[in-house]
Amino acid sequence: MSIEDTGMEWSARAFLFPSSAGEPVATLAATLDGQGVIGKTVAKSLPGKFSRVAATAVAQEVHEAADGLLSVDLIDLMVGGWRTYAALTSAAERTLARPGSEEVVDVVTHRVTSKQQPYVDLFVDGVHVGTVHLELTAVFTVHALVALVMQGYLRGVRGGICDLDVTLSAEGITVASRHDQLDLRMARHFRRPIPLLGVSPTDAPQPAKPSAMSAQNAGQIPASPS
Amino acid sequence: LAARSSRLIAMLLAMVILQLGSVVAPDPAWASGLAVALDKSVAAPGDTIQFTALQFRPPCEPAAAALTFDATCPPVPETVETVDCQVAWDEVPLDAPTLCTLKESVTESATESVIEWLLSGSFSVPNDATTRKTYVVTVCQPACSDVFRGALLSGQARLRIEESPVLVPDVVGLLADPDALQRLTVLGLTMVLSPPGADPSSARVVEQKPTAGTPVVPPSSVTLTVTPLIRVPNIVDELLPEARRKVEDAGLILDATGDPTGRIGTQDPAPGTLVDPETTVTVTLTVAASPPPVPPVSPSPVPPASPSPVPSASPPATNAAPTADPSGPAAQAPNATPVALTSFASPLALWLIVILAAGAAGLSLRWKRRERKSRHAMRQRVRAVAHDPLPSQVRVEEIDHGRTHSVRLEPHADRGHQQTQEVPA
């Protein structure tokens, strides 16, 4: 048995910069900061003893660090929103209360808004000299979704069209923005059971030793990949 | 008792995995059912990585139903078997199919809540893997209980890719720059001089750390202990005392042969050669020069004092001149000619001097401009070196200025927050 995977990437990076899929990080970093917002912020932060070329080298490192923050999985963000959506969580509770039962939930059109504000602190010779602030906003408008819920888990989706708007800004200036419509059936995420209860979107499941594996966290799939 | 002991074995295996693997994925591995460990946390493109994955079956309700395996699924093996699994590389499945060997299996009775077994296999790091990057390696294996049938159990581990190690070359005995420097830079290594501040272009390497043949991962630095070299002065045509003073002032030893009153004819090593301190410079002295001989008197151009009224067909007697007084006009002839030329050539010489001066000034300007350009180019030589094992720590060196700064980046991810609201039709 092999993994059935469409090979589609669902990271914020892949969505915002679809043409740079598979390119090295350095290229992505250059794409990411096409307007030079990050470069200017770094140059402003660095002390005068840095030459222009040295400042460019540091900015490149910041680009790579910022690029790493875009690995967040968009589907996980959307599922994080579903964990707060009563239509799904109540179905999950009902199926958990009645072992062996399952529910097919016809989900009305709804909107999940996710906002993240990562940042990169810059230290020179041990002294904090500046911070580059980023903001990633994703708005999912989901239509025509039918969800299969079993034993507290989302076991699959039928249909499901998602209008997705993702915006990335640095220092308050929008550096990338994109809108697209996605077919949620293509997401491999739904081929695995996804817990709808007991995991808040901001809670990271803690590493557990084998013996500590308990009923509470068993079977949980993380909301976002590390 | 059997159930307890098998559970104990499983726990021990898990602990072994945790010890074996340098990197164990955090929560996702346990939460999703596979704890993945790699045999190394840092690898180079093309390396083969061994992995082990301890699989857990989460408890289900009712337990008995959860552990009743579907007839179409293979039964839980009790012995060593090979099962399907797949390894993905930053979410992209690797081309070569991977088979996991089920080395050990520990099963429990259907009434127990946890099943554990151990998988192992290997995969190759793709040759196009980006160095100085950490990849997420995902190992997937299909689950086969009635609850999780068709689902994939997966676990993740992180693997950092670094450049392949290189062997430090032997540079002892070489001139630091360019000989040793070239051999190091071609391998991506950097050079640190000891004592610091030594001029690498006139220093010889006497010791190196790490020693030749040591494997290191670029960009690493190699510390070279150097001794300054001395440029042999030019003493050709010097008298012996002056030559000796110059050589000894430079820290060298003079070994002269020949007439001590003579001048230096040849020297070995040649002028400008870089040599170790207290190297012997061998010279040969030429025979001392005797006083300059009196130049032969040339025939006087002056016509006879008493001109013959009748032109004579025979040439004038020339034997009178050699016998003339050396202090006479014939002896002064050599001086007479330059004096006569000076008055004629002074404008020409003046012009020559002007042209030469202008040329020299032009050359000097050009040389200064080139030097400025070269300095500017040197300023561009900046190296940013990532510290291991902290990828966010970067050392920025401005090579020709000798300035090094430690730059640390701390990326802070934000889990953010999500809100859901229904959209009116």
Side-chain angles (χ1 to χ4, degrees):
Chain A
M1 182 176 174
S2 62
I3 299 173
E4 291 177 11
D5 195 326
T6 58
M8 195 167 178
E9 266 205 73
W10 297 88
S11 67
R13 180 194 302 110
F15 184 81
L16 282 171
F17 308 108
S19 59
S20 27
E23 289 188 7
V25 171
T27 310
L28 286 173
T31 312
L32 169 70
D33 197 20
Q35 300 175 45
V37 178
I38 293 175
K40 285 172 193 165
T41 308
V42 169
K44 209 188 307 174
S45 305
L46 290 176
K49 55 190 174 184
F50 270 73
S51 70
R52 190 171 56 80
V53 182
T56 306
V58 175
Q60 175 65 21
E61 298 294 328
V62 177
H63 286 149
E64 294 191 16
D67 179 73
L69 295 171
L70 291 179
S71 301
V72 59
D73 190 296
L74 292 171
I75 298 296
D76 285 335
L77 294 181
M78 185 178 65
V79 171
W82 285 351
R83 291 200 179 100
T84 67
Y85 187 28
L88 291 170
T89 54
S90 55
E93 284 167 358
R94 284 193 298 272
T95 57
L96 199 59
R98 284 180 289 135
S101 67
E102 65 178 40
E103 285 193 21
V104 178
V105 183
D106 191 358
V107 186
V108 299
T109 299
H110 62 283
R111 181 173 294 137
V112 177
T113 306
S114 171
K115 185 172 282 191
Q116 293 178 300
Q117 294 175 317
Y119 58 96
V120 181
D121 275 331
L122 179 59
F123 296 82
V124 174
D125 297 331
V127 179
H128 180 257
V129 296
T131 303
V132 179
H133 296 92
L134 303 171
E135 183 172 291
L136 182 70
T137 306
V139 180
F140 309 81
T141 306
V142 183
H143 320 268
L145 175 72
V146 176
L148 177 64
V149 181
M150 277 177 68
Q151 305 218 342
Y153 287 82
L154 175 67
R155 293 302 312 274
V157 296
R158 308 280 182 271
I161 298 295
C162 175
D163 280 307
L164 176 55
D165 289 279
V166 178
T167 304
L168 173 70
S169 58
E171 296 299 316
I173 299 171
T174 299
V175 295
S177 180
R178 187 170 168 241
H179 168 87
D180 205 348
Q181 195 168 64
L182 309 176
D183 183 351
L184 293 181
R185 291 172 304 174
M186 302 295 287
R188 65 177 175 285
H189 303 64
F190 303 119
R191 301 200 178 107
R192 296 184 296 188
I194 298 175
L196 290 170
L197 300 173
V199 177
S200 97
T202 53
D203 284 347
Q206 295 303 309
K209 294 196 173 181
S211 56
M213 194 83 171
S214 62
Q216 292 95 289
N217 62 9
Q220 286 173 358
I221 295 173
S224 59
S226 53
Chain B
L1 183 61
R4 282 187 181 174
S5 52
S6 53
R7 189 164 196 165
L8 184 63
I9 291 170
M11 287 172 61
L12 287 172
L13 284 171
M15 291 173 69
V16 167
I17 286 179
L18 287 171
Q19 293 298 321
L20 281 177
S22 309
V23 173
V24 174
D27 41 335
W30 300 109
S32 59
L34 280 181
V36 177
L38 308 178
D39 68 340
K40 57 182 86 166
S41 58
V42 180
D47 279 2
T48 299
I49 305 294
Q50 303 286 338
F51 67 84
T52 46
L54 186 63
Q55 180 173 327
F56 285 82
R57 181 65 50 79
C60 306
E61 291 294 341
L67 297 174
T68 303
F69 294 96
D70 190 280
T72 59
C73 291
V76 177
E78 297 286 351
T79 56
V80 174
E81 279 199 7
T82 300
V83 295
D84 290 335
C85 68
Q86 185 143 2
V87 178
W89 179 255
D90 262 16
E91 302 192 359
V92 177
L94 295 181
D95 292 338
T98 308
L99 289 176
C100 288
T101 303
L102 189 60
K103 282 186 176 172
E104 296 283 349
S105 71
V106 180
T107 60
E108 296 188 349
S109 69
T111 54
E112 291 291 336
S113 59
V114 178
I115 291 178
E116 304 146 339
W117 66 75
L118 183 67
L119 301 163
S120 69
S122 65
F123 65 92
S124 295
V125 177
N127 286 322
D128 59 354
T130 307
T131 53
R132 293 183 56 199
K133 181 185 172 184
T134 300
Y135 284 87
V136 176
V137 177
T138 306
V139 177
C140 291
Q141 203 252 330
C144 208
S145 76
D146 60 347
V147 169
F148 288 91
R149 185 184 339 130
L152 289 169
L153 296 181
S154 70
Q156 294 181 331
R158 290 178 174 274
L159 182 63
R160 182 158 178 84
I161 304 303
E162 293 288 3
E163 287 86 351
S164 300
V166 296
L167 298 181
V168 175
D170 186 4
V171 294
V172 172
L174 300 181
L175 194 62
D177 185 6
D179 299 345
L181 182 62
Q182 279 176 356
R183 292 199 183 185
L184 295 174
T185 50
V186 78
L187 296 172
L189 304 176
T190 56
M191 175 177 83
V192 175
L193 290 185
S194 174
D199 178 9
S201 63
S202 61
R204 188 191 306 282
V205 181
V206 293
E207 190 184 354
Q208 67 176 82
K209 283 182 184 174
T211 54
T214 307
V216 294
V217 175
S220 294
S221 60
V222 178
T223 302
L224 305 182
T225 305
V226 295
T227 180
L229 297 179
I230 295 168
R231 204 169 288 278
V232 176
N234 184 5
I235 50 174
V236 173
D237 219 24
E238 300 273 357
L239 291 170
L240 183 59
E242 179 65 15
R244 186 179 299 282
R245 188 187 60 77
K246 281 188 176 178
V247 168
E248 289 179 355
D249 282 355
L252 305 173
I253 298 167
L254 186 72
D255 180 18
T257 55
D259 182 0
T261 62
R263 292 179 180 271
I264 307 295
T266 59
Q267 71 172 89
D268 182 32
T273 308
L274 287 167
V275 295
D276 290 317
E278 300 191 353
T279 297
T280 299
V281 179
T282 307
V283 297
T284 51
L285 293 154
T286 56
V287 178
S290 52
V294 177
V297 179
S298 59
S300 170
V302 181
S306 56
S308 170
V310 180
S312 173
S314 62
T318 55
N319 59 346
T323 57
D325 182 0
S327 63
Q332 291 170 1
N335 288 335
T337 306
V339 169
L341 274 177
T342 304
S343 58
F344 169 74
S346 56
L348 182 63
L350 195 62
W351 276 112
L352 274 175
I353 289 168
V354 169
I355 290 168
L356 284 175
L363 276 177
S364 168
L365 267 177
R366 196 169 170 186
W367 180 79
K368 279 183 181 168
R369 200 173 299 152
R370 184 179 297 175
E371 188 188 39
R372 207 177 304 135
K373 198 172 176 182
S374 157
R375 280 185 188 160
H376 178 68
M378 285 164 78
R379 273 201 295 273
Q380 306 299 312
R381 290 169 60 188
V382 174
R383 178 185 296 128
V385 184
H387 278 276
D388 252 351
L390 296 171
S392 61
Q393 184 95 7
V394 178
R395 191 176 73 240
V396 175
E397 299 171 1
E398 294 194 69
I399 299 163
D400 300 301
H401 290 252
R403 292 196 300 229
T404 301
H405 300 293
S406 163
V407 178
R408 186 159 54 90
L409 306 174
E410 277 188 8
H412 300 269
D414 176 26
R415 297 184 186 279
H417 58 275
Q418 291 84 31
Q419 288 179 333
T420 307
Q421 63 180 89
E422 293 185 352
V423 180

